[in-house]
Amino acid sequence: MVCMSKIVVSANGSKKEAIIKKAAGLFRQKGFAGTSMRELAESIGVEAPSLYNHIGSKIELLQNICFKVANEFMLHLHETEQQSNSTIGKLKQIIQFHIQMMVNEYDEVFVANHEWKQLKDPYLTDFLLQRKAYEKKLIDIVKEGIKTNTIKNIHPQIAVLTILSAVRGLEFWQGQKNQMEVLELEKNMIDHLLNGLVK
Amino acid sequence: MVCMSKIVVSANGSKKEAIIKKAAGLFRQKGFAGTSMRELAESIGVEAPSLYNHIGSKIELLQNICFKVANEFMLHLHETEQQSNSTIGKLKQIIQFHIQMMVNEYDEVFVANHEWKQLKDPYLTDFLLQRKAYEKKLIDIVKEGIKTNTIKNIHPQIAVLTILSAVRGLEFWQGQKNQMEVLELEKNMIDHLLNGLVK
DNA sequence: AACAAAAACTAATAAGCGTTAGTTTTGTGG
DNA sequence: CCACAAAACTAACGCTTATTAGTTTTTGTT
């Protein structure tokens, strides 16, 4: 029988990357354990064993997704830290980046947020350490703001938890992605998280 | 061979409820698809087929967990609505209830938040409708606050999204559950969400 | 003590899983 | 146009899955 098709690869992306992209979409919709390699293959238009010409294993797909996302966040945070911006300015910039990541790389961010538990050691431990390090840096920024008297004397860890949780919730914004909406979303959420709800 | 043991049932709870409780713990840790009936049975101290003397199927366990949580939240919201409390007072009360549910029924709330996607119709549709109805009621409360001039003219849907997401984030508070910590958590998060971070 | 119901057990089912082996087709450069 | 490599295919493996059937043990009541 003839080939069902070939793996379509977008401009300057490897076939492996095309598979990872599709996997991210399915893992988001049905979860890592809930997605089979046969489903993934079918969504690409290929038989399951053909995937193994390009990837090593199913779990490797999850590793790629999780660490790509983690690295992007960490990289942006490093850049933000090195700028000579006010504490509030830094926080605004970070929240804005989270929102943009949620819009532009929705599947990947969602999977990294929800399916990292399925990682196996040593990747699981690595991932958690990286997350912890990210949170610590955020907490330090809030502490700096408290020290310089631009932020209320709130519990820094809880504040960071609240902010990170709030931006994670954009998962539910799903549907509409036009730029107008995104800008309004950014504006409202940043204002809510920094200035509160009460008049 | 003799029985491994019998299902231990806590005071005035059926064996089915004991199974559901254990399932909630495992589903939280490993996900619905990632948890096998054999694992569940083993954690109870019984062989897998024995479970079917008390439950109908694996998916039925998930249904029970998801709808129990959804009903509890909806019930509390109804009670809050009917009180003659200020808008801000209502919001405080709702946030507080979410935090308490997260502490007292952590496994169940977590599973309802993460694994509802694995429900099959008609349960999936029912669940989503119930969620939508809950959010709508919250949005109406915020709108009421804007109308009576006690809440800023913020986008109500985004405000509700931010609040719900923030309390969901308590999933990560996991570890410590002593009452002292919980009270401080409540105080800080409510203050942050209502009054903001900026001094 | 005997009987009935509840709840455990063992054994087995069909289906689905990730993955490997081996083969055939496809695409490419000399 | 031929040869070589890349990438698809089919077939199958060993394992796990949820669930059913049939049997034995436990429990509770008369």
Side-chain angles (χ1 to χ4, degrees):
Chain A
M1 193 206 185
V2 300
C3 288
M4 287 175 71
S5 76
K6 55 182 251 181
I7 298 178
V8 178
V9 32
S10 58
N12 42 323
S14 71
K15 294 183 185 180
K16 180 170 180 174
E17 279 162 2
I19 294 172
I20 292 172
K21 188 77 198 164
K22 278 279 185 186
L26 285 175
F27 291 171
R28 174 185 64 76
Q29 289 179 140
K30 325 188 59 168
F32 176 72
T35 302
S36 75
M37 294 301 276
R38 286 172 176 84
E39 275 180 288
L40 172 57
E42 191 183 13
S43 86
I44 292 173
V46 108
E47 293 297 322
S50 302
L51 298 174
Y52 289 84
N53 285 321
H54 306 283
I55 64 164
S57 65
K58 186 188 182 186
I59 196 88
E60 185 194 292
L61 294 172
L62 185 62
Q63 290 160 14
N64 274 280
I65 295 167
C66 290
F67 284 98
K68 177 169 164 283
V69 170
N71 288 335
E72 282 179 285
F73 276 112
M74 195 55 103
L75 188 67
H76 178 267
L77 186 51
H78 278 141
E79 287 171 6
T80 302
E81 280 177 328
Q82 285 165 0
Q83 290 175 227
S84 59
N85 199 345
S86 71
T87 300
I88 297 292
K90 283 178 189 168
L91 285 179
K92 271 187 193 169
Q93 195 172 322
I94 291 164
I95 294 174
Q96 207 167 339
F97 184 73
H98 272 264
I99 294 175
Q100 277 164 8
M101 282 288 284
M102 211 54 162
V103 171
N104 298 330
E105 300 186 49
Y106 175 50
D107 291 332
E108 288 79 2
V109 176
F110 189 104
V111 169
N113 279 343
H114 284 80
E115 303 292 333
W116 58 267
K117 290 186 197 183
Q118 313 279 350
L119 290 172
K120 306 293 175 201
D121 271 325
Y123 301 97
L124 179 59
T125 303
D126 280 3
F127 186 83
L128 285 173
L129 286 175
Q130 204 161 336
R131 243 179 117 95
K132 209 77 196 162
Y134 187 83
E135 280 171 27
K136 187 175 178 325
K137 284 177 186 292
L138 283 189
I139 289 172
D140 285 343
I141 291 177
V142 171
K143 280 182 181 167
E144 176 192 300
I146 294 173
K147 191 181 283 178
T148 59
N149 214 33
T150 55
I151 287 183
K152 281 190 208 170
N153 190 21
I154 203 170
H155 190 141
Q157 193 177 353
I158 298 178
V160 167
L161 179 75
T162 302
I163 290 174
L164 287 180
S165 303
V167 293
R168 256 192 65 160
L170 294 176
E171 291 168 359
F172 303 117
W173 202 254
Q174 297 169 257
Q176 56 274 58
K177 294 175 79 172
N178 78 68
Q179 198 61 21
M180 186 65 181
E181 292 262 2
V182 173
L183 287 177
E184 193 184 6
L185 187 60
E186 277 183 12
K187 194 172 75 57
N188 277 270
M189 188 166 276
I190 290 174
D191 183 46
H192 185 171
L193 288 172
L194 295 183
N195 302 316
L197 218 50
V198 177
K199 208 155 190 175
Chain B
M1 194 206 183
V2 300
C3 287
M4 287 175 69
S5 78
K6 55 181 250 184
I7 297 179
V8 178
V9 34
S10 58
N12 41 323
S14 71
K15 295 184 182 178
K16 179 169 179 174
E17 279 162 2
I19 294 172
I20 291 173
K21 188 78 197 164
K22 278 279 185 187
L26 285 175
F27 291 172
R28 174 185 63 76
Q29 288 175 235
K30 327 188 59 169
F32 175 73
T35 303
S36 74
M37 294 302 276
R38 284 173 177 82
E39 275 179 287
L40 173 58
E42 190 183 14
S43 86
I44 292 173
V46 109
E47 293 297 324
S50 302
L51 298 174
Y52 290 86
N53 285 320
H54 307 284
I55 64 164
S57 64
K58 186 188 183 186
I59 196 86
E60 185 194 293
L61 293 172
L62 185 61
Q63 290 160 15
N64 274 279
I65 295 167
C66 289
F67 284 98
K68 177 169 163 284
V69 170
N71 288 335
E72 282 179 285
F73 276 112
M74 195 55 103
L75 188 68
H76 178 267
L77 185 51
H78 279 140
E79 287 170 6
T80 303
E81 280 178 328
Q82 285 165 1
Q83 288 174 229
S84 57
N85 200 345
S86 72
T87 300
I88 296 292
K90 284 179 188 168
L91 285 179
K92 270 187 192 167
Q93 194 171 321
I94 291 165
I95 294 173
Q96 209 166 339
F97 184 72
H98 273 263
I99 294 175
Q100 278 165 8
M101 282 288 284
M102 211 55 163
V103 171
N104 298 329
E105 301 185 49
Y106 175 52
D107 290 334
E108 288 80 359
V109 176
F110 189 104
V111 169
N113 279 342
H114 285 78
E115 303 292 334
W116 58 266
K117 289 187 197 182
Q118 313 280 350
L119 290 171
K120 307 293 175 199
D121 273 325
Y123 300 97
L124 179 59
T125 302
D126 279 4
F127 186 83
L128 285 174
L129 286 175
Q130 204 161 335
R131 243 179 117 95
K132 208 77 196 163
Y134 187 83
E135 280 171 28
K136 187 176 179 324
K137 284 176 185 296
L138 284 189
I139 290 172
D140 285 344
I141 291 177
V142 172
K143 280 182 182 168
E144 176 193 300
I146 294 174
K147 193 180 280 178
T148 60
N149 215 35
T150 55
I151 287 185
K152 281 190 210 170
N153 190 22
I154 203 170
H155 190 141
Q157 194 178 352
I158 298 177
V160 168
L161 178 78
T162 302
I163 290 173
L164 287 180
S165 303
V167 293
R168 257 193 64 160
L170 295 175
E171 291 167 359
F172 302 116
W173 202 253
Q174 297 170 254
Q176 55 273 59
K177 292 176 81 172
N178 77 68
Q179 199 61 22
M180 186 66 180
E181 291 260 4
V182 172
L183 286 178
E184 194 184 4
L185 187 59
E186 275 182 13
K187 196 173 73 56
N188 277 270
M189 187 165 276
I190 289 174
D191 184 44
H192 185 170
L193 288 173
L194 296 182
N195 303 316
L197 217 50
V198 177
K199 206 158 193 173

